[in-house]
Amino acid sequence: MARELDDGGIAYTCEQPLSHFTTMGVGGPAEILVQPSTVDEMVLAIERARDLGLPVKVLGAGSNLLIHDAGVRGVVLHTMRLKSFVFGEDGRIEAGAGAHFPTLVKAAARRGLRGIEGGVGIPGSIGGVLTMNAGAYAFSISPMVEQVIVVSPNQGRITLDRGQIEFRYRSSSFGENLVITHVRLRLASDEPEAIKRDMDEHMRYRKQTQPVGVKSAGCIFKNPDGESAGRLLDRLGLKGFSVGSARISGVHANFIVHDGKARASDVAALIEAVQELVLKKTSITLEQEVMVWH
Ligand code: EPU
């Protein structure tokens, strides 16, 4: 793989620690970390990995991800260099998969474009936001999506219109096989001041109700039917419950936080302990929302 990447002039590193590429800040290295600067490089890396039978994982902003201490084998494609976005006609935004979502939201607000301001606190890349169908309060990305370009391991580059994409609760039809390279959003027009007011209000509320500025991977568990996992864990008295240096946040019980000293094994053990406890006390099986790589 290294020779192929060298031949293509594509930036990569071997056994690169990944912890600082995630908001949780834990986890081991990637066997091969590729950071394509163009979509062509991305396609080439995916094709070479496929030819060599190497597994490919896509890393965006690493904000909903738990990487185990042993790290990951195969190729990790990091979208961070595909981060540019431009404004087009009629409220359109063309963004590379690695575009930082909060930056995009703020730029759209300044431009007088409404529709994504409710997602201002979601610390992902736009590719990650679509793949996970991330949401917050009433905000959902799907109505804003006009078109997405993806790379499929077998069919190469494909353009998908919104109707060809399925968005489910915290997942989508992109799954693990379709790698997003480009997203076109279409937003509505409004007064920049009005959008900024709403955006600031969303951020203020988020800061009040969720732990901001500490190491975490967002919500750990999916909400079970008709219930907030956070409220459930809170009711069970789990705020502050810890394993090693990983603990359940005192602000929102569906967040696991730490002060920089936790290992992935602490977080994984805490997740398991909480799942067991909840099953025993309520017969509810909590499903993980956070993506786990090992
Ligand atoms: N609550 C508690 N204790 C807690 C946490 C929540 O009593 O520790 C109560 C709240 O007071 C509120 C209710 O539970 O009455 C619901 O809480 P919240 O509004 O925070 O919503 P949530 O269902 O817990 C979901 C998403 C969040 C998203 C918020 C806001 C999931 C798993 N979580 O949380 O998403 O930010 O709504 O829209 O769907 C994420 O995906 O990483 C994430 C954090």
Side-chain angles (χ1 to χ4, degrees), residues 64 135-137 169-170 206 210 217-219 221-223 228 230-231 234 239 251-255 289:
N64 188 48
Y137 311 103
Y169 171 55
R170 295 297 187 266
R206 178 177 279 259
Q210 295 183 2
C219 281
F221 301 106
K222 289 185 179 174
N223 283 344
S228 150
R231 182 164 46 202
D234 192 357
K239 278 183 173 170
V251 184
H252 191 299
N254 199 5
F255 283 67
E289 197 245 286

Side-chain angles (χ1 to χ4, degrees), residues 20 31 62 92 121 145 232 235-236 263:
H20 56 279
E31 188 175 6
R92 291 187 175 83
V145 175
L232 177 67
R235 253 202 331 260
L236 292 172
R263 295 177 59 77

